[in-house]
Amino acid sequence: MPRPASRPPRVAMLSVHTSPLHQPGTGDAGGMNVYMVQLARALATKGAEIDVFTRCRGEGLPARVPLADQVTVHHLHAGPCGPLAKEALPGTLPEFSRDLLRVAEHCRSYDVVHSHYWLSGQVGRAVAGHWRIPLVHTMHTLGRVKNASLAPGDSAEPAARILGEHQVVDAADRLIANTADEAAALHDLYGAETTRTDIVRPGVDTETFSPGAGRQAARRRLGLPPDAFIPLFVGRIQPLKGPDVLIRAIAELLGLAPELRTRLLVPVIGGLSGSGAHAPGLPDLCRHLGVDDVVRTEPAVRQRTLADWYRAADVLVVPSRSESFGLVAVEAQACGTPVLAARVGGLPTAVQDGRTGLLVDGHRPADYARNLLALARAPRRAHAMGRAGVRHAAGMAWETAAEATLATYERAAWTARRGWAGAAACPCPGGIPPLEVLGSRRFRERLPK
């Protein structure tokens, strides 16, 4: 039953397809990984006990890994103990659920399940029903939103995901959206009740991400030219994040101001998305457009090194085609760097247009080029935006996000007390609600036409 209000909660946090231990900017790891780590730590400082359950990927890690005081990551066996493409993960969900229930018997009883991303939500609706505790879910990204803003040649999210998301929306006691825009998408595209949706804005780690000793000190540490104009890209290399938009914008920029070539440096920091089997071909695009001499690709880096890249840059460019929030934009602002971003998803919340950065309608490279040139020619304005960004980011604390999340857990428990109607509504073998295997005939018959 829901916990007494006097005791901090014990939380089973689920992340099937990626682990909070993974390096953001590689594979399937990104802002969601940062979100889980920072939220779990902030919840723990308020007394909560967090067990994060993720799939074993054969990385030589033990079954249990302490992440912070009162935060432990558990590796479960579901499918082969190794990397799997996202397309293969739905078939591992029943095994993940069974191993979760087995391992949890030796951990502790839980007060709430908090699942992240739709695959975890599928597991969450099964185990929360078995344990008779509330399910809280955070989507992070939405298949219908992504399909509405695909890059040319990019693959649409499958119908199985769309139906899976609808099922999670229907099953969750509470939904957490990062922004009002995401909450509206949940309501308009998935029929989520606004009374069951809480808006909890993510935070930023201002101890790691801060102006530090300034731009020139960061450039010296990274070995970068002191007088360079540096537009920076940080994120997974995938069409959704729009690195191709930046590369094309750089070619347009050099057409507008060829004199910039001698001092232009464009670092692209991040790894290939997913397995990396189908690279988007950025090096070929750079060569084709004649900008390979100014673009510098770098692998994903740890947070403290990333903070130096933010400090060293003149502007962070976030040309995403879809973005639930855009943590990199807030991290850069916390370091004193303005942001040039697409006006999509949560980025208008993360960036204050005209004050801490500039927002662009659409993804036309020429529009980004014109804004980059304006920032290059007005360094004082860019510096003022950077100072305003530090103040803006200071108002986004993970402590605040943790307090709001605890309130969501309380509301979920209140909903449960009013009359939880999960597994009790359908007799299931062993008391575990069935997880339809995504791809089975029964599941395909329910896919949206």
Side-chain angles (χ1 to χ4, degrees), residues 34-205:
V34 176
Y35 181 104
M36 286 189 296
V37 169
Q38 296 298 337
L39 178 63
R41 286 175 171 166
L43 289 170
T45 63
K46 298 187 175 301
E49 300 172 32
I50 316 293
D51 284 334
V52 183
F53 295 94
T54 190
R55 197 182 71 85
C56 172
R57 291 166 52 98
E59 297 160 320
L61 296 171
R64 294 164 52 103
V65 179
L67 179 64
D69 289 343
Q70 299 186 179
V71 182
T72 304
V73 177
H74 300 260
H75 294 101
L76 303 181
H77 292 281
C81 195
L84 277 179
K86 274 188 184 180
E87 296 76 17
L89 287 175
T92 70
L93 299 183
E95 188 178 356
F96 188 100
S97 302
R98 289 191 292 271
D99 204 39
L100 169 56
L101 294 174
R102 178 188 64 80
V103 171
E105 288 181 356
H106 307 287
C107 296
R108 48 178 146 244
S109 60
Y110 298 103
D111 302 299
V112 64
V113 175
H114 188 170
S115 53
H116 297 267
Y117 194 65
W118 77 276
L119 290 168
S120 302
Q122 289 285 324
V123 174
R125 68 191 188 101
V127 298
H130 177 71
W131 288 329
R132 293 180 177 272
I133 60 175
L135 170 63
V136 172
H137 182 74
T138 306
M139 282 290 188
H140 293 282
T141 63
L142 296 168
R144 288 190 183 276
V145 173
K146 293 179 72 172
N147 285 349
S149 52
L150 290 175
D154 200 6
S155 300
E157 292 298 312
R161 172 179 176 176
I162 305 304
L163 177 55
E165 289 175 335
H166 276 281
Q167 292 173 330
V168 174
V169 166
D170 291 342
D173 293 284
R174 304 293 304 182
L175 295 165
I176 289 180
N178 290 162
T179 64
D181 184 83
E182 184 184 356
L186 282 166
H187 176 268
D188 297 342
L189 302 177
Y190 292 86
E193 300 169 13
T194 56
T195 54
R196 282 195 301 121
T197 304
D198 296 326
I199 299 172
V200 179
R201 191 170 62 178
V204 63
D205 176 7

Side-chain angles (χ1 to χ4, degrees), residues 387-442:
R387 291 197 305 270
V390 174
R391 295 191 295 270
H392 178 51
M396 300 184 189
W398 280 111
E399 179 183 4
T400 303
E403 290 172 352
T405 301
L406 287 173
T408 292
Y409 294 164
E410 288 286 355
R411 282 189 282 271
W414 180 79
T415 299
R417 284 193 290 269
R418 290 184 62 196
W420 182 79
C426 69
C428 311
I432 304 174
L435 262 179
E436 297 173 38
V437 178
L438 278 72
S440 68
R441 179 179 177 183
R442 180 183 176 189

Side-chain angles (χ1 to χ4, degrees), residues 4 20 23 25 78 82 90 98 145 189 245 247 252 264 272 286 318 337 360 430:
Q23 169 64 51
R98 289 191 292 271
V145 173
L189 302 177
V245 176
I247 300 305
E252 296 264 3
L264 182 63
L272 295 176
C286 290
V318 190
T337 299
V360 178

Side-chain angles (χ1 to χ4, degrees), residues 352-365:
Q352 295 182 328
D353 189 21
R355 184 169 177 267
T356 69
L358 300 171
L359 296 175
V360 178
D361 293 311
H363 297 85
R364 293 180 296 274

Side-chain angles (χ1 to χ4, degrees), residues 212-426:
R215 178 170 298 157
Q216 291 305 322
R219 290 188 177 188
R220 285 193 295 271
R221 285 191 292 270
L222 295 171
L224 303 177
D227 60 344
F229 176 64
I230 303 180
L232 172 68
F233 176 91
V234 174
R236 285 174 289 164
I237 309 305
Q238 60 176 164
L240 184 74
K241 299 296 183 181
D244 59 299
V245 176
L246 173 60
I247 300 305
R248 295 181 187 280
I250 293 303
E252 296 264 3
L253 174 63
L254 290 174
L256 294 172
E259 70 277 6
L260 275 178
R261 185 180 288 272
T262 58
R263 66 184 189 95
L264 182 63
L265 176 62
V266 187
V268 176
I269 299 179
L272 295 176
S273 183
S275 64
H278 303 287
L282 278 188
D284 291 341
L285 181 62
C286 290
R287 285 191 292 271
H288 174 70
L289 295 174
V291 297
D292 50 321
D293 58 324
V294 298
V295 176
R296 171 175 166 178
T297 58
E298 295 280 343
V301 295
R302 296 293 180 186
Q303 298 282 280
R304 294 198 177 278
T305 304
L306 181 59
D308 261 348
W309 279 104
Y310 288 138
R311 295 178 189 119
D314 289 278
V315 57
L316 175 75
V317 185
V318 190
S320 300
R321 292 177 168 90
S322 176
E323 197 71 66
S324 59
F325 185 69
L327 279 174
V328 294
V330 183
E331 291 170 352
Q333 290 171 93
C335 292
T337 299
V339 179
L340 174 62
R343 195 188 300 271
V344 298
L347 286 169
T349 300
V351 180
Q352 295 182 328
D353 189 21
R355 184 169 177 267
T356 69
L358 300 171
L359 296 175
V360 178
D361 293 311
H363 297 85
R364 293 180 296 274
D367 294 338
Y368 286 84
R370 284 192 294 271
N371 280 286
L372 286 172
L373 182 58
L375 291 172
R377 289 177 171 173
R380 289 186 179 180
R381 183 190 181 201
H383 185 61
M385 286 182 173
R387 291 197 305 270
V390 174
R391 295 191 295 270
H392 178 51
M396 300 184 189
W398 280 111
E399 179 183 4
T400 303
E403 290 172 352
T405 301
L406 287 173
T408 292
Y409 294 164
E410 288 286 355
R411 282 189 282 271
W414 180 79
T415 299
R417 284 193 290 269
R418 290 184 62 196
W420 182 79
C426 69

